[in-house]
Amino acid sequence: MVSVSMNVNGKPASGEVEGRTLLSAFLRENLKLTGTHIGCDTSQCGACVVHVDGKAVKACTMLAAEADGSEVKTIEGMANADGSLGVVQQAFQDHHGLQCGFCTPGMVMSAAALLSENPNPSEAEIREYLEGNLCRCTGYHNIVKAIMAAAGQDVSKIAAE
Ligand code: FES
Ligand code: FES
């Protein structure tokens, strides 16, 4: 067993885990932060994306022990301080960027990471950035639209799908 401690959504979090424990499992099982979804565990789907030291990371590709000492942000940390939806979350709601919602935490975390790297991405740049995030439901159109809206772009002329 190894001791891990990290800051998660601005609060200290620690635990004893097996060395092979994935960050995704640590977040969900030890910390009960079940907003981080596990769709594949093989680095395909992106449902488990979180931020580690400000970068988007698939939490199933990282050991909890590797995140020791890091700043981690999960979907639970994306709301505003008053509990209202954060900008990216609100844009997903406003533009119907989700259906079943399974992919949504990872999509929101990836979108937020993209916007912090590139605050005004083109549609093509958004689609390219989301290559590691799979959605079975939406056809991606409204997800891309939501991210453009979150970036402050005028999406009024883009058709809904
Ligand atoms: S659960 Fe991590 S990429 Fe699918
Ligand atoms: S909304 Fe269902 S998988 Fe994306």
Side-chain angles (χ1 to χ4, degrees):
M1 301 291 276
V2 290
S3 300
V4 293
S5 49
M6 58 193 81
N7 236 21
V8 180
N9 301 329
K11 293 191 203 127
S14 56
E16 295 281 315
V17 296
E18 289 185 47
R20 62 182 181 158
T21 301
L22 298 172
L23 178 59
S24 49
F26 179 69
L27 293 170
R28 288 178 56 85
E29 291 162 26
N30 293 63
L31 305 185
K32 309 296 180 208
L33 293 172
T34 53
T36 298
H37 289 169
I38 297 174
C40 67
D41 247 351
T42 53
S43 181
Q44 307 286 316
C45 73
C48 65
V49 171
V50 298
H51 298 173
V52 177
D53 294 330
K55 297 254 184 284
V57 170
K58 289 178 174 172
C60 74
T61 65
M62 188 175 207
L63 297 172
E66 289 178 292
D68 188 48
S70 298
E71 287 288 330
V72 177
K73 190 179 241 198
T74 70
I75 190 68
E76 288 88 350
M78 294 300 282
N80 296 319
D82 65 1
S84 61
L85 295 178
V87 172
V88 179
Q89 293 171 307
Q90 188 64 56
F92 270 65
Q93 184 179 80
D94 293 345
H95 297 281
H96 310 291
L98 63 147
Q99 288 182 26
C100 81
F102 191 83
C103 69
T104 311
M107 287 289 183
V108 168
M109 298 311 287
S110 288
L114 166 63
L115 294 176
S116 69
E117 282 169 32
N118 177 359
N120 195 23
S122 67
E123 181 176 342
E125 285 170 333
I126 294 170
R127 289 184 183 276
E128 186 181 350
Y129 197 89
L130 293 182
E131 272 182 353
N133 291 78
L134 302 182
C135 176
R136 293 169 297 189
C137 307
T138 65
Y140 302 96
H141 179 82
N142 286 351
I143 291 174
V144 173
K145 190 174 167 189
I147 296 169
M148 292 170 76
Q153 298 174 14
D154 179 8
V155 294
S156 59
K157 294 195 174 57
I158 299 176
E161 214 170 68

